[in-house]
Amino acid sequence: MNKIGVTFLTACLGGAVAIGSYKLIESKLQDGSSFEDKQKVYFTNNPSPTINSSSGELDFTQAAASVTPAVVHIKTTYNNDSGEGNSGRDKQMQDLFEDFFGGRRRSQGPAQGSGSGVIISDDGYIVTNNHVVDNADKIDVILPDKRSLVAKVIGRDANTDLALLKIEGSGFPIVKLGNSDNVRVGEWVLAVGYPFALNTTVTAGIVSAKGRQIGILDQGNNQSTDGEPQARTAIESFIQTDAAINRGNSGGALVNTKGELIGVNAAIASQSGSYEGYGFAIPINLAKKVLNDFKEFGSVRRGYIGVNFTGLDAEQSKRLGVSEINGLYINEVIPGSGAAQSGLKEGDIITKVDGNQIFSPSDLQERIGRLGPGDKVQLSYLRAGKLLVTNVTLKGEESVRTANNSTNSAVTKNLGASFAPASDVLKKKYKISSGVVVSNVKPGGFFDQLDVVQGTIITSINGRPITNADDIETAISSGRNNMATVNAISPDGMQIRYQFQVR
């Protein structure tokens, strides 16, 4: 009998210790850990019912019921809508998005906007789009139960179009964070939000593509707040869906049929400004890093490899004279960067990141976008047909700014083009010992006005051989009054000469 009593007391003591330890860990997690850790505690205490997946008989009711209580309506107020005090970049981004998501309503009083958001933490953290709350003087969050609360901005990032808001309170319903890496093309998804300022609306569709780049973030993302050019750091790797998305859906939830948040709705492809079949969402795995940075630092701590590159396809590979049609062709390695220290060189072709095949720039950008300064990434690359592997330690944004400030202004500002070193194949083909390929021409830029097209090989300027972008700066500066005589080879192999003055 005594043994039974001792055993019972031991069991009770052990249970008490376990519960006490768990509560202590729970308290620490709620105070300072990542949103994923906070959600683990939440769903341990509030287990959700098993929800059917996409396979078998379709049933969206459970997923919709679990998500809609945590998707909120965001109303923004702008006391100064004239654009005064806004940077050129902010104003341009505002104009780009205004015709679609959360467009501001002009009236006699303050302008207003409308969008959506998703509660991801029961203490009131909300993810939405940067363009929904950009420059707002007041942000009201309307909960599905019709409560209205004022939100404050914890962090915003134009490079990913993400923002983190906070409302006061506790015990809010949340949407479970999913894993966007596991999303498959063809699987069913739901888009949840407040289109046209209607009450919570749920639409269904499938994932029609992954890793999409549509250029909407880059359009307003090439200038800093002081108007000077800055490094291109926009990250676009959207999940594409045909679930109906319209005005006001921006910042809302894209969830799988298990009710897990896999993306934050951000844009559509449309000629009319309304839904025409394609919507785009920011992958949640990219958003997790950005949101946790907002919570911890108030801004994003982003890591950089330190290269400028051109995405390869059959046409671009032909211009550059390389046989590989997938991967990223390195145009420039920034001195002192992680890439330079790891041994990467101009003309190398990056083929894999952490063992994952690279088919487009977004494949690399999204992976790197999840990491911060000091993190390491493994890159596989081709050099002269040989496959090599290196580990790169990412560096902070300051290294990119420094490199950009040292970049030649004539190349970056005036010529309106980017360059890649000519491959050995091209040099052998045209019997040249030097040359750079015009890998991109900016519409309306100086080269565009001169009808210099992609694929043109510049062999010399002012009699100086050209092997990289720095040589272009040196050669142009050597000419009187920045006059330039350019010897080049057109994509069809014709010898051509340009003469112009760089202003």
Side-chain angles (χ1 to χ4, degrees):
M1 192 69 181
N2 289 335
K3 286 185 177 181
I4 295 175
V6 171
T7 301
F8 177 74
L9 288 174
T10 301
C12 290
L13 180 60
V17 171
I19 293 173
S21 299
Y22 177 79
K23 287 299 182 182
L24 179 61
I25 294 172
E26 176 184 0
S27 175
K28 290 182 178 179
L29 286 174
Q30 291 290 351
D31 289 338
S33 65
S34 71
F35 287 110
E36 283 183 286
D37 291 332
K38 290 164 72 71
Q39 287 210 348
K40 287 177 183 177
V41 172
Y42 178 90
F43 284 109
T44 298
N45 292 332
N46 303 276
S48 56
T50 302
I51 299 176
N52 295 330
S53 66
S54 295
S55 60
E57 185 177 348
L58 293 176
D59 183 3
F60 302 139
T61 57
Q62 295 178 72
S66 69
V67 172
T68 52
V71 178
V72 300
H73 187 192
I74 296 176
K75 292 184 177 181
T76 50
T77 303
Y78 305 84
N79 294 328
N80 177 11
D81 198 51
S82 64
E84 295 179 8
N86 295 345
S87 70
R89 172 180 168 182
D90 288 340
K91 188 66 170 66
Q92 187 177 9
M93 290 301 293
Q94 169 193 320
D95 294 340
L96 285 170
F97 286 109
E98 191 173 86
D99 288 336
F100 174 52
F101 283 129
R104 299 178 188 177
R105 297 192 298 273
R106 313 281 179 178
S107 64
Q108 296 295 327
Q112 293 183 319
S114 178
S116 304
V118 186
I119 305 176
I120 58 172
S121 177
D122 64 345
D123 53 352
Y125 284 96
I126 298 170
V127 59
T128 186
N129 287 141
N130 172 63
H131 73 263
V132 169
V133 297
D134 186 18
N135 291 321
D137 294 291
K138 184 183 179 184
I139 302 170
D140 293 302
V141 172
I142 315 300
L143 303 179
D145 62 11
K146 298 184 179 180
R147 283 183 292 166
S148 179
L149 300 171
V150 176
K152 64 178 180 180
V153 176
I154 303 301
R156 297 192 299 109
D157 180 42
N159 290 312
T160 53
D161 194 29
L162 288 168
L164 182 66
L165 310 180
K166 179 73 167 64
I167 53 177
E168 292 302 319
S170 60
F172 296 106
I174 70 175
V175 178
K176 187 174 184 179
L177 299 178
N179 184 351
S180 53
D181 286 350
N182 292 339
V183 173
R184 296 174 296 171
V185 173
E187 77 169 272
W188 284 97
V189 289
L190 304 178
V192 187
Y194 290 78
F196 305 115
L198 297 172
N199 289 334
T200 312
T201 299
V202 180
T203 58
I206 65 167
V207 173
S208 53
K210 294 176 63 178
R212 282 289 197 239
Q213 286 186 296
I214 57 177
I216 193 168
L217 299 183
D218 275 332
Q219 292 184 53
N221 202 36
N222 59 358
Q223 286 189 329
S224 62
T225 54
D226 59 5
E228 289 300 312
Q230 67 172 16
R232 174 183 171 183
T233 53
I235 301 173
E236 292 190 7
S237 185
F238 294 118
I239 298 171
Q240 179 180 301
T241 177
D242 64 357
I245 298 174
N246 275 293
R247 295 175 185 266
N249 269 114
S250 189
L254 185 72
V255 299
N256 59 22
T257 52
K258 294 180 180 179
E260 297 170 335
L261 185 67
I262 59 170
V264 179
N265 296 322
I268 63 171
S270 173
Q271 299 296 320
S272 64
S274 297
Y275 173 71
E276 292 183 7
Y278 300 104
F280 302 93
I282 302 160
I284 196 61
N285 285 9
L286 172 61
K288 287 174 186 176
K289 192 270 181 191
V290 174
L291 298 173
N292 285 324
D293 276 3
F294 286 156
K295 181 173 176 289
E296 186 173 356
F297 308 113
S299 61
V300 184
R301 300 287 180 91
R302 189 164 282 125
Y304 297 91
I305 295 176
V307 296
N308 292 322
F309 54 78
T310 298
L312 293 177
D313 55 24
E315 185 176 350
Q316 191 67 270
S317 295
K318 184 178 179 180
R319 291 192 189 112
L320 296 171
V322 296
S323 57
E324 190 72 21
I325 61 173
N326 287 309
L328 308 176
Y329 187 90
I330 297 179
N331 303 329
E332 178 187 11
V333 177
I334 297 171
S337 67
Q341 293 174 357
S342 69
L344 288 171
K345 297 180 179 179
E346 294 179 2
D348 290 342
I349 299 173
I350 302 174
T351 58
K352 291 183 180 180
V353 52
D354 287 334
N356 298 291
Q357 191 73 37
I358 292 176
F359 297 100
S360 67
S362 63
D363 294 330
L364 178 68
Q365 290 171 327
E366 185 194 349
R367 291 277 176 178
I368 301 304
R370 304 179 192 179
L371 304 175
D375 289 336
K376 292 185 178 181
V377 63
Q378 184 186 79
L379 298 180
S380 301
Y381 62 98
L382 291 171
R383 177 181 294 170
K386 185 178 180 180
L387 183 62
L388 303 172
V389 178
T390 187
N391 291 313
V392 179
T393 300
L394 305 183
K395 294 200 173 184
E397 186 173 8
E398 190 59 38
S399 65
V400 177
R401 288 178 178 172
T402 301
N404 186 70
N405 290 339
S406 64
T407 301
N408 176 285
S409 61
V411 175
T412 57
K413 289 183 180 179
N414 299 358
L415 297 184
S418 57
F419 308 92
S423 66
D424 291 338
V425 173
L426 287 178
K427 291 178 182 178
K428 184 176 180 180
K429 178 180 178 180
Y430 294 113
K431 298 179 180 179
I432 54 178
S433 58
S434 62
V436 294
V437 181
V438 178
S439 56
N440 185 58
V441 177
K442 179 182 178 181
F446 192 60
F447 267 25
D448 186 36
Q449 296 173 26
L450 291 174
D451 293 327
V452 179
V453 298
Q454 282 185 339
T456 300
I457 304 172
I458 296 176
T459 57
S460 68
I461 297 178
N462 292 334
R464 294 171 177 257
I466 303 298
T467 58
N468 53 47
D470 289 336
D471 290 343
I472 295 177
E473 165 67 11
T474 302
I476 290 176
S477 300
S478 70
R480 180 176 297 180
N481 297 322
N482 281 345
M483 287 295 299
T485 300
V486 178
N487 290 317
I489 302 172
S490 68
D492 59 6
M494 292 184 60
Q495 297 282 341
I496 51 179
R497 173 175 290 190
Y498 301 95
Q499 286 187 315
F500 53 83
Q501 183 179 26
V502 178
R503 298 183 182 278

